Amino acid sequence: MHEPVMVAEVLEHLAPGRGGLFVDCTVGAGGHARAILEAGATRLIGLDRDPEALEHAAAALEPYGPRVDLVHADYRRLDDVLEARGVAAVDGVLADLGVSSMQLDAPGRGFSFRRDEPLDMRMDRTSGRTAAEAIREADERTLADVIYEFGEERYARRIARAIAEARAGGGIRTTGELAELVRRAIPRRGTSRIDPATRTFQAIRIWVNRELEGLDAFLTRAARRLAPGGRMVVITFHSLEDRIVKHTLRALQATADTGLTIRTKRPVVPSEAEIERNPRARSAKLRAAERQTS
Ligand SMILES: C[S@@+](CC[C@H](N)C(=O)[O-])C[C@H]1O[C@@H](n2cnc3c(N)ncnc32)[C@H](O)[C@@H]1O
């Protein structure tokens, strides 16, 4: 099961005890959503692009009945979702970005190199290209750029070359094939505990799901939907995302008509005890902002 990260910190900054309408833009297994409802939110709209995650959320949030409205949607369509419901403003927005451990661990999704299975990696399996298709269609230069930029992988060119060569000889269909190819393409480095395929897998996942595209526009739309006194909380899991969130919130704060004030000068990080309990929380960073009342 997916354990929600920094629940106490989310509640502190989102302040659902005020009541009102909250939007969980990445409802996942519903862990944060449940905490928000328990803390006093009157209603919650939960979005997720993954229909399987929504099934888990529906089961977890069933006790809250009509207070919850779950929607299969990309958060970049937040305005459409709110307009379809006649909602002009909301009291809080949460975005807990990236993939869930549920998605990473579920067999058959193709996110993990710990199993050999078809290389899919789509969070939303109802649309878009699988990772295997995207890799097959991209040129070597694009692959190298993706792996370098989204994986911060210094051996990106070597890996892209190895992928291009493998393609010429029949293609890469499974997670196991890709992981093996990456491990062979880059020099062994001493005693690192991290599998050398980790960075490439992260890069391809971010690329296939277009995770960074439109994140700034989404944050801007979400900020503009906040009612006076409304709060916004964003959790990221890698530095590229956190940088976008940091810069976008700063730009919004500097734009007087948004009335937005950043509540977290520095990103909030999980406690040692939480990291001990849930190692996936290690790279989480939380940033929050508030729309002023006047
Ligand atoms: C880290 S998990 C969220 C876990 C959730 N907070 C919980 O308590 O269970 C991220 C979720 O966001 C979803 N997601 C990622 N990108 C999305 C997007 N662009 N639009 C909607 N959902 C997205 C994923 O499918 C995944 O279920």
Side-chain angles (χ1 to χ4, degrees):
M1 194 28 112
H2 181 89
E3 193 179 331
V5 303
M6 289 195 276
V7 175
E9 294 85 348
V10 167
L11 295 178
E12 180 196 332
H13 288 285
L14 209 51
R18 296 172 288 136
L21 172 60
F22 288 75
V23 185
D24 184 341
C25 294
T26 52
V27 71
H32 285 119
R34 187 168 42 210
I36 292 167
L37 287 156
E38 284 294 328
T42 317
R43 276 176 62 208
L44 180 130
I45 300 176
L47 273 54
D48 206 292
R49 73 198 298 197
D50 179 354
E52 286 162 51
L54 284 173
E55 281 174 29
H56 289 277
L61 303 176
E62 207 255 336
Y64 305 96
R67 290 168 66 197
V68 177
D69 181 4
L70 295 175
V71 193
H72 179 218
D74 192 302
Y75 54 63
R76 289 166 281 209
R77 287 186 37 230
L78 178 65
D79 278 337
D80 297 340
V81 171
L82 296 181
E83 268 151 36
R85 284 157 181 77
V87 173
V90 303
D91 299 289
V93 173
L94 171 66
D96 174 20
L97 301 175
V99 278
S100 66
S101 45
M102 218 162 57
Q103 289 166 326
L104 288 174
D105 297 342
R109 305 277 320 237
F111 283 110
S112 170
F113 47 77
R114 294 200 180 83
R115 269 185 306 267
D116 191 21
E117 56 189 25
L119 193 58
D120 188 327
M121 290 197 184
R122 285 170 302 165
M123 289 191 220
D124 182 353
R125 286 198 281 186
T126 66
S127 68
R129 291 181 307 177
T130 67
E133 288 162 350
I135 286 176
R136 190 163 60 234
E137 288 159 18
D139 58 36
E140 186 181 324
R141 172 88 192 268
T142 304
L143 287 170
D145 290 347
V146 162
I147 297 168
Y148 183 73
E149 193 185 336
F150 298 153
E152 298 177 286
E153 169 62 71
R154 57 200 270 230
Y155 297 110
R157 303 227 164 271
R158 289 195 200 190
I159 296 167
R161 166 64 47 86
I163 292 176
E165 282 165 7
R167 257 187 336 207
I172 301 160
R173 283 173 300 268
T174 70
T175 50
E177 285 166 10
L178 178 61
E180 216 14 69
L181 176 151
V182 175
R183 292 182 194 122
R184 277 202 310 267
I186 67 184
R188 290 236 159 265
R189 253 181 301 168
T191 54
S192 172
R193 290 193 343 263
I194 300 173
D195 190 299
T198 308
R199 286 181 298 277
T200 300
F201 268 64
Q202 171 185 298
I204 307 254
R205 188 204 88 209
I206 292 173
W207 176 50
V208 164
N209 291 291
R210 300 169 31 236
E211 291 180 36
L212 304 180
E213 248 177 78
L215 179 54
D216 51 351
F218 154 68
L219 295 170
T220 303
R221 274 184 220 122
R224 292 194 179 277
R225 285 280 173 179
L226 291 177
R231 305 275 186 94
M232 177 165 151
V233 172
V234 187
I235 303 173
T236 62
F237 288 88
H238 55 80
S239 54
L240 299 170
E241 259 174 356
D242 181 57
R243 210 175 303 149
I244 296 174
V245 175
K246 178 170 85 178
H247 291 309
T248 309
L249 292 183
R250 282 190 186 160
L252 287 165
Q253 180 171 248
T255 311
D257 77 321
T258 61
L260 203 75
T261 306
I262 295 170
R263 293 175 49 82
T264 46
K265 247 203 173 95
R266 293 173 179 287
V268 179
V269 295
S271 65
E272 288 296 325
E274 176 165 3
I275 295 170
E276 183 86 14
R277 202 175 59 242
N278 178 16
R280 202 191 84 92
R282 182 176 296 114
S283 47
K285 289 198 167 88
L286 178 152
R287 294 185 187 267
E290 176 174 7
R291 167 125 189 243
Q292 295 308 299
T293 41
S294 58

